Amino acid sequence: MSRFDTGPIVKDGCDTVVKLWKRRCEMHGDRAAHREKELGVWQEYSWAAYYEGARTIGLALMALGVEKGEPVLILSEDRREWLYCDLGAAGIGAIPTGVYTTDSPTQLAYLAQDSGARVLFVENDEQLDKFLEARGAMPGIEKVVVFDRDGLATFSDPQVMFLDELLALGRAEGEGNPTRFEEALERVKPEDPRMLIYTSGTTGPPKGAMVTHRNIMFQLEAGKDMLEFYETDELLCFLPLCHVLERLISVEVPIGHGCTVNFAESPETVFENLQEVSPNSFSGVPRIWEKIHSRVMILRSEAGWLGGKAFDWALATGLKVAERQEDEKPVGGWLKLQHWAADLLVLSNLRRMVGLSRARRVTSGAAPISPELIRWFAGLGVPLIEGFGMTETAGVATINTVAENRIGTVGPALPGVGLRISPEGEIQVGGPLVFGGYWNKPDKTRETMTEDGWLRTGDVGRIDNRGCLTITGRMKDIIITAGGKNITPAEIESRLKFSPYISDAVVIGDKRKYLTCLVMIDQENVENFAQSRQIHFSDFASLTRAPEVRELIGQVVRDTNRDFAQVEQIKDFRLIDILLTAEDEELTPTMKLKRNFVNQRHAALIDEMY
């Protein structure tokens, strides 16, 4: 029995997420819960509509025979119907389970088989095709519900129904038994799974992590003092809702605090939507912050002489202020005056251009981020903080705050969370945020837990005298060179990615004499570089072969090497000549390169460097 086991966690008199959600919907009624674009115009949907839509879907699922504790699959981009299905299923005690829209038919079939789900929601004809292609491999699926009829006007299949038909079924069920949904909702217990989230499966088949209602209630309570949210806050949802970070920020936090969620139209339009919404708080993965940085720096390079000088002066002034604040030193009167002028003339306009003019706090998670990038945003006047968590910790385990942002660390543990380093250097976490185990995999659950109930994270790090955690890498990613030197590649990689010309990087060197690196260039910025210098290229592959591009990346590598010891320096590199997307096996849905896949697929490139 863990020393962290305690009683129920209660917020506003509620001990489960669904009870708290019902209370929020009743409290806020006609206030906007969600916004999304239709035909280019933002449309509002109320908390009352949120409750009615989810309740109707929950009743329909009960009419279809879905029972408490049974997974329900949702295969869709982010949209309000995703949340209606999520809370409708959770409200009856079923377990909503997201499926990435980039998953293949084979991957969908695996999730259907492993979860045992009988109902599958899909967004449109494209996602329906995945089910139809692999239907024979998922005999347990009894009913598929499609959100959009576009392209399916004449389609008919006994296993398939459309959302409007499901809603009609739910309304009929509600007329016959008007309290059935509410009675089911009251039977949901804190220890019941709130959601099932499948891990990325980089080291084997994906595992379904059971995140309980109690886990989420703890997150809402523990995080309230470190990450303040208000009813008036506007949020922007853009990461897949299958991902624990987006689920926590765009579903659970609004239930806890009453914020309004705006759905980005697509991952491709996130920067435009960011400008339109200008959220009060925004969470993203390092890639989004790297892209914003590179966009601003490209704008700087395209500015005239006077505009460039003004930018450089304003940013340098902002960085001086940020540096003094980081060192906990006072900002002198003359520097304050300069900073006021820099902000008025330049920095406030830049924040408005990138959609962060109202940002009280922005957060980076899911992968390491360069400390220099955090400092750059501080110079711009945007408080970017870094945290650490994983699916198995229900999203967040440690977090910096705007008031105490220990750059280079991922902050202290949330209140009530235990943090320790094992003799092997592994970070271990304990507390009410630790998940309920892997779905139908007790052996895997035992492997990831210590005997005294702590979670083995698989990450390596250290804790400083302030209690702040620094992550140095993954245990499985540690490189042991032929000379016996242990190297964690994450810091080198994040330093490389600070360049606007590098999208991602993988350092190689395990059991080798020296380190090398595979680099994925940033297509947009490198294309702009090539065009401005009249460098000829016909496609992405030819762009990576241009000598000038190789020299550009070579200079980034040389600059990075100056910050590391001789044994940690990169001796050679190669550019990946394939433009990767989230559909590719080498990338996770949050756009991180999978080290194992990259090593296998580009083995020939790696061998060239040795």
Side-chain angles (χ1 to χ4, degrees):
M1 184 67 70
S2 166
R3 67 180 174 89
F4 296 104
D5 287 341
T6 58
I9 297 162
V10 178
K11 182 176 177 63
D12 295 349
C14 303
D15 60 0
T16 66
V17 174
V18 288
K19 289 174 188 171
L20 186 59
W21 164 73
K22 181 174 181 285
R23 173 159 293 190
R24 282 288 170 266
C25 293
E26 291 168 347
M27 282 174 59
H28 296 310
D30 292 334
R31 268 195 52 220
H34 308 119
R35 291 193 193 93
E36 60 185 24
K37 269 191 166 182
E38 292 178 20
L39 302 175
V41 179
W42 287 99
Q43 303 289 341
E44 282 191 358
Y45 299 89
S46 70
W47 284 91
Y50 191 3
Y51 185 77
E52 188 54 36
R55 176 181 182 272
T56 305
I57 288 172
L59 286 165
L61 289 173
M62 294 176 90
L64 291 174
V66 173
E67 298 178 353
K68 183 180 179 182
E70 180 178 329
V72 172
L73 297 178
I74 308 170
L75 171 54
S76 169
E77 297 284 3
D78 300 350
R79 51 191 288 171
R80 73 182 192 283
E81 289 89 351
W82 208 112
L83 272 65
Y84 292 5
C85 295
D86 179 42
L87 270 299
I92 65 170
I95 313 172
T97 310
V99 183
Y100 287 106
T101 56
T102 53
D103 279 1
S104 67
T106 302
Q107 289 169 317
L108 172 62
Y110 170 82
L111 297 183
Q113 292 168 5
D114 189 77
S115 66
R118 292 186 293 154
V119 175
L120 164 67
F121 289 94
V122 299
E123 182 174 19
N124 51 27
D125 56 345
E126 178 188 354
Q127 304 303 339
L128 176 62
D129 283 343
K130 293 178 182 178
F131 166 74
L132 296 174
E133 181 179 329
R135 182 184 346 217
M138 41 183 132
I141 295 292
E142 297 172 7
K143 189 62 69 175
V144 180
V145 182
V146 186
F147 293 162
D148 296 337
R149 285 183 178 269
D150 294 348
L152 296 167
T154 59
F155 178 84
S156 178
D157 187 294
Q159 263 185 285
V160 179
M161 66 190 303
F162 291 93
L163 184 60
D164 54 353
E165 296 171 325
L166 184 82
L167 292 172
L169 178 64
R171 284 190 286 268
E173 181 68 22
E175 288 171 6
N177 196 341
T179 61
R180 190 179 184 192
F181 180 77
E182 286 73 17
E183 289 168 0
L185 186 146
E186 289 297 322
R187 288 193 294 270
V188 177
K189 302 295 184 214
E191 61 272 15
D192 291 339
R194 157 68 181 99
M195 62 188 80
L196 190 62
I197 294 188
Y198 276 86
T199 58
S200 57
T202 54
T203 55
K207 303 181 293 291
M210 294 182 285
V211 177
T212 68
H213 285 266
R214 187 166 178 272
N215 292 153
I216 297 298
M217 295 300 287
F218 175 80
Q219 285 282 354
L220 295 178
E221 277 297 285
K224 67 180 181 183
D225 297 325
M226 303 182 79
L227 298 171
E228 73 285 354
F229 287 92
Y230 305 113
E231 288 182 6
T232 53
D233 280 354
E234 298 282 345
L235 308 179
L236 180 67
C237 174
F238 83 99
L239 286 174
L241 282 165
C242 311
H243 193 276
V244 70
L245 179 62
E246 194 64 74
R247 194 77 155 275
L248 182 64
I249 296 299
S250 292
V251 185
E252 315 303 316
V253 162
I255 289 171
H257 301 279
C259 319
T260 300
V261 176
N262 299 268
F263 293 103
E265 295 167 88
S266 73
E268 290 72 35
T269 64
V270 65
F271 295 109
E272 290 75 12
N273 297 150
L274 192 57
Q275 290 172 319
E276 293 168 333
V277 173
S278 190
N280 302 97
S281 177
F282 182 62
S283 297
V285 293
R287 189 74 196 108
I288 198 82
W289 307 117
E290 291 156 5
K291 287 293 286 183
I292 290 173
H293 167 259
S294 65
R295 282 183 169 222
V296 172
M297 296 310 290
I298 293 299
L299 283 174
R300 186 299 173 214
S301 69
E302 294 171 350
W305 180 85
L306 184 60
K309 289 292 182 185
F311 174 91
D312 293 343
W313 164 75
L315 186 60
T317 304
L319 287 169
K320 284 178 190 173
V321 171
E323 182 182 359
R324 294 198 70 79
Q325 290 171 340
E326 185 182 349
D327 293 340
E328 298 180 345
K329 295 177 180 177
V331 179
W334 173 237
L335 183 55
K336 276 185 182 176
L337 183 62
Q338 285 184 295
H339 188 237
W340 174 82
D343 198 70
L344 180 69
L345 298 172
V346 180
L347 300 178
S348 60
N349 291 325
L350 286 173
R351 292 196 299 272
R352 190 159 42 251
M353 285 171 58
V354 297
L356 296 174
S357 60
R358 295 198 297 170
R360 188 173 62 251
R361 174 196 64 249
V362 297
T363 311
S364 181
I369 187 171
S370 165
E372 294 311 309
L373 190 57
I374 297 176
R375 293 187 176 101
W376 183 88
F377 273 97
L380 200 64
V382 177
L384 173 59
I385 61 174
E386 188 177 12
F388 162 72
M390 49 202 300
T391 302
E392 290 84 350
T393 64
V396 180
T398 73
I399 190 79
N400 277 296
T401 64
V402 174
E404 294 190 25
N405 191 6
R406 307 296 178 191
I407 298 174
T409 80
V410 290
L414 293 179
V417 171
L419 198 61
R420 71 186 186 189
I421 306 297
S422 76
E424 298 76 30
E426 182 184 35
I427 301 163
Q428 297 180 352
V429 178
L433 78 177
V434 174
F435 77 138
Y438 293 116
W439 180 255
N440 289 337
K441 289 182 172 58
D443 292 346
K444 293 292 183 184
T445 302
R446 281 192 291 273
E447 283 176 20
T448 202
M449 302 298 294
T450 66
E451 290 183 3
D452 55 348
W454 290 64
L455 175 74
R456 306 178 196 270
T457 66
D459 288 299
V460 181
R462 59 182 180 271
I463 302 169
D464 66 19
N465 56 10
R466 296 176 185 259
C468 293
L469 176 67
T470 298
I471 298 173
T472 54
R474 294 284 292 166
M475 291 190 75
K476 63 183 177 62
D477 291 343
I478 289 176
I479 291 170
I480 304 176
T481 64
K485 175 69 176 176
N486 283 24
I487 295 170
T488 50
E491 187 179 357
I492 305 169
E493 292 163 354
S494 66
R495 196 71 62 88
L496 287 166
K497 290 189 289 180
F498 186 58
S499 165
Y501 300 113
I502 293 181
S503 170
D504 214 336
V506 173
V507 173
I508 314 293
D510 197 43
K511 300 180 181 64
R512 312 266 193 172
K513 291 181 180 178
Y514 51 84
L515 300 186
T516 60
C517 188
L518 290 175
V519 173
M520 186 163 73
I521 61 172
D522 184 288
Q523 181 189 21
E524 180 183 358
N525 292 338
V526 176
E527 281 183 356
N528 288 340
F529 167 84
Q531 288 163 355
S532 67
R533 288 158 180 78
Q534 298 182 326
I535 299 166
H536 175 72
F537 66 95
S538 56
D539 54 18
F540 185 78
S542 65
L543 180 66
T544 64
R545 290 193 290 269
E548 298 89 343
V549 171
R550 281 191 49 80
E551 175 54 30
L552 173 71
I553 303 303
Q555 188 58 52
V556 174
V557 171
R558 289 191 290 275
D559 291 344
T560 301
N561 279 341
R562 293 194 191 103
D563 295 328
F564 293 93
Q566 185 75 22
V567 72
E568 297 172 312
Q569 293 182 3
I570 295 164
K571 299 297 188 289
D572 202 355
F573 70 93
R574 292 290 184 273
L575 305 183
I576 297 173
D577 62 1
I578 303 165
L579 185 59
L580 301 175
T581 68
E583 281 81 6
D584 291 290
E585 284 188 322
E586 285 140 291
L587 282 183
T588 70
T590 51
M591 303 304 286
K592 292 183 292 186
L593 278 172
K594 296 179 184 176
R595 195 175 302 274
N596 290 347
F597 278 104
V598 168
N599 286 348
Q600 292 166 16
R601 185 167 180 180
H602 301 286
L605 275 182
I606 294 170
D607 289 342
E608 272 181 27
M609 296 187 282
Y610 294 96

